Amino acid sequence: MIPAKFDYAAPATVEEALGLLAEHGDEAKVIAGGQSLLPVLRMRLNAPELVVDLGRIESLRGIRVDGDTVTIGAMTPYHEILADETVRERCTLLHQAITEVADPQIRHRGTLGGALVHADPAGDCGAPVLAMDAELVVTGPGGERVVPAAEFFEGLFTTAVGEDELLTAIRVPAYDGWGSHYEKFVRIAHQWPIVAVAAQVRTEGGSIAEARIGLTNMGATPLRASAVEAGLVGAATTQEAVRAACDRAAEGTDPPSDLNGDADYRRHLATVLTRRAVLAAVGG
Ligand SMILES: Cc1cc2nc3c(=O)[nH]c(=O)nc-3n(C[C@H](O)[C@H](O)[C@H](O)COP(=O)(O)OP(=O)(O)OC[C@H]3O[C@@H](n4cnc5c(N)ncnc54)[C@H](O)[C@@H]3O)c2cc1C
């Protein structure tokens, strides 16, 4: 289908973009890579009067390292993040998850910021961002505020970013010395995850000292598997010990039922995939 008619603006600065959002209110819609917004417009699920393209705002793009924090501009496309050595080495879980997003064409256009604001519960980037305790920098008429990942995802396709605000950057802590793995379950290649698990684990000797586990598509938002995280601390890095802790992966979740599987199937998948992800993260 063809989208409804809209005006188009391509501001050069964040301030200009914010000015347009303030002026047009909920009649304006921001576009980043367009990989989620364009299908929405074509299906006429949304018909904004003005589309504000962030593609010319250079300050929103790129990757910077400040000590132990890697700052990724919201408009940085997936393929640039994948090519970045620092992200691969120090924010490995995010790198691993992005390798699983869609296909190379979509990864060329789609942006990390667009994916996070779109907040599809099946999106691959939410769970690692949550498990890594990243911070989201949101800029609006009142200036900049920093939202912890745990407070960013508010509901189905809903985040802490207001209609007059922009997500401008994602600050990801470096996890030097941690093991990580993103385990995604799909029926066919390049599919959205039926369930996926983002696991990040630090070991000391033969046991687990810290664990951070994020779940994809196990509720309306990405979730932390807190019971598993608690159960893994102090556990040996053996199949049996990891399995016992990961059996609790579905606790506190509310997975959907759809043509790919019902809620019970997803709960089962969560336990299996969490075990696989943790064992891969500890090198077991
Ligand atoms: C065929 C296909 C398969 C896909 N498969 C997967 C998959 O397997 N896994 C996966 O995770 N994703 C998948 N995607 C989605 C892809 O990751 C999108 O790129 C992503 O969801 C949106 O990023 P974008 O930059 O294209 O954002 P856009 O589509 O441009 O925008 C998405 C939404 O975010 C808002 N927005 C964008 N940037 C900002 C900002 N900086 N501040 C405030 N609001 C903003 C827009 O207004 C819009 O509402 C797939 C997409 C397609 C088309």
Side-chain angles (χ1 to χ4, degrees):
M1 268 171 65
I2 297 172
K5 195 165 175 286
F6 57 79
D7 287 331
Y8 171 85
T13 64
V14 168
E15 292 68 31
E16 256 182 76
L18 290 175
L20 289 166
L21 295 183
E23 189 183 334
H24 294 270
D26 60 8
E27 299 299 342
K29 196 80 188 146
V30 158
I31 191 166
Q35 299 303 296
S36 294
L37 184 66
L38 283 178
V40 165
L41 298 188
R42 289 173 71 100
M43 287 186 280
R44 300 207 178 192
L45 297 172
N46 199 321
E49 284 176 4
L50 176 71
V51 169
V52 180
D53 186 347
L54 303 181
R56 293 199 188 148
I57 307 180
E58 279 304 316
S59 64
L60 291 180
R61 194 162 168 156
I63 298 168
R64 205 178 64 234
V65 183
D66 305 305
D68 284 338
T69 303
V70 179
T71 301
I72 302 173
M75 281 296 290
T76 312
Y78 296 123
H79 80 98
E80 279 185 29
I81 302 173
L82 282 181
D84 189 89
E85 281 294 303
T86 307
V87 174
R88 191 163 62 80
E89 283 171 15
R90 305 189 70 192
C91 308
T92 311
L93 182 59
L94 182 63
H95 173 92
Q96 290 165 334
I98 292 178
T99 61
E100 297 288 338
V101 172
D103 56 41
Q105 282 169 304
I106 289 163
R107 292 199 297 266
H108 196 81
R109 292 289 310 170
T111 65
L112 179 59
L116 295 174
V117 179
H118 188 59
D120 190 316
D124 285 298
C125 297
V129 160
L130 189 62
M132 297 177 90
D133 281 330
E135 292 179 333
L136 293 302
V137 183
V138 177
T139 308
E144 202 174 274
R145 62 194 177 96
V146 177
V147 182
E151 293 166 23
F152 185 76
F153 301 101
E154 294 185 339
L156 197 65
F157 297 104
T158 310
T159 70
V161 181
E163 278 179 352
D164 57 351
E165 294 182 310
L166 294 174
L167 174 64
T168 43
I170 301 96
R171 292 185 190 153
V172 189
Y175 281 86
D176 303 324
W178 289 58
S180 63
H181 186 76
Y182 187 69
E183 184 78 17
K184 173 169 170 172
F185 188 82
V186 288
R187 279 189 300 112
I188 49 171
H190 304 316
Q191 201 188 18
W192 293 81
I194 297 173
V195 173
V197 178
Q200 186 148 258
V201 183
R202 187 173 67 77
T203 55
E204 269 175 18
S207 60
I208 294 172
E210 287 180 86
R212 295 179 182 193
I213 315 289
L215 303 174
T216 304
N217 218 7
M218 287 297 290
T221 65
L223 297 170
R224 285 285 280 265
S226 317
V228 178
E229 293 179 348
L232 283 173
V233 174
T237 57
T238 59
Q239 295 256 358
E240 299 68 36
V242 169
R243 178 192 291 270
C246 294
D247 279 348
R248 301 178 67 190
E251 272 185 35
T253 64
D254 184 17
S257 290
D258 57 28
L259 289 177
N260 283 316
D262 64 16
D264 278 344
Y265 178 61
R266 282 192 162 87
R267 287 188 195 97
H268 169 71
L269 272 181
T271 62
V272 173
L273 302 180
T274 303
R275 170 167 42 89
R276 285 185 195 163
V278 171
L279 285 171
V282 299

